[in-house]
Amino acid sequence: MTLELDGRIVKITNPDRVVFPRTGHTKLDLISYYRVVADGAVRGVADRPVILKRFVHGVDKEAFFQKRAPAKRPEWVEVVELSYPSGRTADEVVIRDLACLLWTVNLGCVDLNPHPVRAEDLDHPDELRIDLDPVPGVGWEQIVRVALVARDVLEEHGLTAWPKTSGSRGFHVYARIEPRWTFRDVRRAAEAVAREVERREPDVATSRWWKEERQGVFVDYNQNARDHTVASAYSVRPTGLVSAPLTWDEVPGCRPEDFTLASMPDRYAEVGDPWAGMDERAGSLDALLDLAEAQGPRPDRPAAPPVRGRRQPVMPLVEIARAATREEAMAGLERWKARHPEVARLLRPADVLVDSMRGRSSVWTRIRVNLRHVPEPDRPGQEPLEVDYDPWAQ
């Protein structure tokens, strides 16, 4: 199958391949969706380098991450060289139009993961991104409450806040900024937002970095680091939900399940793109950087003394599994619970820490358990891992 878009030919291989086994949606359904929301979807990634997150066997299998653009690509697919903190470099794809976007979808990309910079200036982000990440057990109403406070903080400091669902459990709040500040400055400004949100809503929001110390909704400011990407506006997520741009009037009553691969085309036809004016509303970070200066150093609790140069957690953690897939890791957790039933009964949802860890080209899963709600004499010690996967072995 071939598509002609603005004089460019995009080949679509295996259009009938099922990408979403639960709903039966195919690659062609995904292509058709992105064509309907083309203006908004392209705006979300326009002129930005992207990491290719490829689900070549469907969303029920693990994706692999490809920073480097495929060597065999159409001549009209642009690339730009990015440098990472590790010292490595990669020629990454730059999406400028629908033809390039659909070319990445044909490679197996379901969601689109752009950097917060434009290809013409890779050192100065033009987007500040706040990712609201709830710990297990936190309700949607709390997430929305924190999003509204994040909006207030941004707008009180001279920035226009733009909301969208994440397409998963969380929520995103963006602000377009003038590309005058370094990654370090942008991250510092985002951290100032997170700390101020936590100050205003300490019962539901946290800016604590270490996962085991969090309660409520984590206001994640580290998505502004140089090597981080976030699913863009109108991205279809592996859940089948869409990362849907909203107006702030819609936010209090929104539900993530209302925005799906199937429902979004009708919404887009009816309301258009709520983020259409975003590029005209770039603002300054000066006020947020002043806030960061006024906040001073973070008053976190001191961690335990490091052992062999590694941070020791304050909380009583045991590691359960490191696995190539989430399913393997969760099965290991269930075996551990079966051996320690009395301990398992005392655990709360937020005590089970499931981390998606990014390796060089794939994601693996780590599970730890926080034993803070277990009386100290009853806490099991660290045991051999239920699954002991080494992501670096190859």
Side-chain angles (χ1 to χ4, degrees):
M1 175 181 174
T2 60
L3 301 174
E4 183 174 351
L5 301 164
D6 297 326
R8 292 173 174 169
I9 301 299
V10 182
K11 294 181 179 179
I12 306 299
T13 58
N14 303 312
D16 296 327
R17 179 170 61 82
V18 174
V19 177
F20 296 88
R22 186 176 63 83
T23 61
H25 285 102
T26 65
K27 182 191 283 189
L28 182 57
D29 294 326
L30 192 60
I31 292 286
S32 299
Y33 161 80
Y34 277 117
R35 295 187 75 179
V36 171
V37 301
D39 287 348
V42 171
R43 185 179 296 110
V45 295
D47 307 324
R48 301 183 186 280
V50 298
I51 288 179
L52 304 176
K53 181 183 175 186
R54 300 176 63 180
F55 291 90
V56 294
H57 300 296
V59 297
D60 58 339
K61 305 296 182 184
E62 295 293 329
F64 75 90
F65 290 84
Q66 182 174 339
K67 294 179 180 179
R68 290 173 176 79
K72 292 184 179 180
R73 59 181 184 267
E75 61 181 11
W76 42 264
V77 172
E78 296 182 42
V79 299
V80 67
E81 184 181 72
L82 267 76
S83 298
Y84 284 86
S86 65
R88 295 174 178 268
T89 62
D91 287 338
E92 296 192 13
V93 172
V94 177
I95 297 180
R96 298 197 189 271
D97 53 32
L98 181 60
C100 189
L101 189 157
L102 296 184
W103 175 79
T104 68
V105 174
N106 185 58
L107 292 177
C109 295
V110 173
D111 48 13
L112 308 171
N113 292 270
H115 292 270
V117 292
R118 309 276 183 167
E120 288 70 27
D121 185 351
L122 299 175
D123 294 319
H124 299 94
D126 70 339
E127 239 170 34
L128 183 148
R129 301 168 172 179
I130 300 294
D131 180 12
L132 303 181
D133 184 13
V135 305
V138 170
W140 181 252
E141 293 75 14
Q142 287 178 267
I143 300 169
V144 167
R145 179 177 164 187
V146 174
L148 294 171
V149 177
R151 172 201 61 185
D152 293 345
V153 173
L154 286 166
E155 298 198 342
E156 288 168 18
H157 291 83
L159 295 173
T160 302
W162 302 84
K164 69 181 177 79
T165 61
S166 71
S168 185
R169 296 180 59 247
F171 199 89
H172 297 158
V173 182
Y174 281 28
R176 182 70 81 238
I177 59 175
E178 299 161 1
R180 298 194 286 118
W181 291 272
T182 64
F183 277 93
R184 182 177 180 180
D185 287 336
V186 176
R187 184 181 182 277
R188 185 164 173 250
E191 184 178 5
V193 174
R195 292 178 63 183
E196 178 62 14
V197 171
E198 181 181 36
R199 186 190 70 80
R200 297 184 187 190
E201 294 286 351
D203 294 335
V204 294
T206 180
S207 64
R208 288 194 174 275
W209 179 247
W210 301 109
K211 194 169 185 176
E212 65 270 18
E213 298 179 15
R214 299 175 194 164
Q215 295 287 336
V217 179
F218 176 45
V219 186
D220 187 354
Y221 51 87
N222 202 48
Q223 299 299 347
N224 299 278
R226 181 181 288 272
D227 55 348
H228 283 223
T229 61
V230 179
S232 63
Y234 297 99
S235 280
V236 182
R237 307 305 303 278
T239 58
L241 304 181
V242 171
S243 186
L246 306 171
T247 66
W248 282 107
D249 287 343
E250 294 178 295
V251 170
C254 75
R255 300 294 303 183
E257 59 269 21
D258 293 338
F259 310 104
T260 69
L261 173 61
S263 67
M264 278 296 289
D266 287 342
R267 169 181 165 83
Y268 194 84
E270 181 180 347
V271 306
D273 180 12
W275 284 21
M278 188 179 192
D279 287 337
E280 287 72 53
R281 304 295 296 273
S284 170
L285 285 185
D286 286 341
L288 281 179
L289 292 174
D290 288 344
L291 174 63
E293 188 68 25
Q295 288 171 336
R298 173 181 289 276
D300 275 351
R301 292 175 296 173
V307 175
R308 296 180 182 177
R310 298 184 64 182
R311 170 191 176 269
Q312 295 302 297
V314 173
M315 296 292 179
L317 300 182
V318 291
E319 188 171 3
I320 306 302
R322 300 179 187 180
T325 67
R326 182 184 178 93
E327 290 75 15
E328 290 178 283
M330 295 303 293
L333 174 64
E334 292 306 313
R335 292 193 297 271
W336 183 89
K337 286 182 176 179
R339 284 203 314 279
H340 303 286
E342 297 301 323
V343 172
R345 277 193 282 272
L346 297 174
L347 299 179
R348 300 180 185 178
D351 292 338
V352 178
L353 310 177
V354 182
D355 301 312
S356 292
M357 312 292 288
R358 188 178 295 188
R360 286 185 179 175
S361 63
S362 62
V363 171
W364 55 282
T365 300
R366 177 181 68 178
I367 294 183
R368 297 170 295 160
V369 169
N370 190 338
L371 300 173
R372 58 187 162 181
H373 295 114
V374 179
E376 190 168 354
D378 300 331
R379 294 172 184 169
Q382 180 64 56
E383 301 170 347
L385 298 181
E386 292 291 332
V387 187
D388 192 1
Y389 168 70
D390 182 359
W392 309 109
Q394 299 182 12

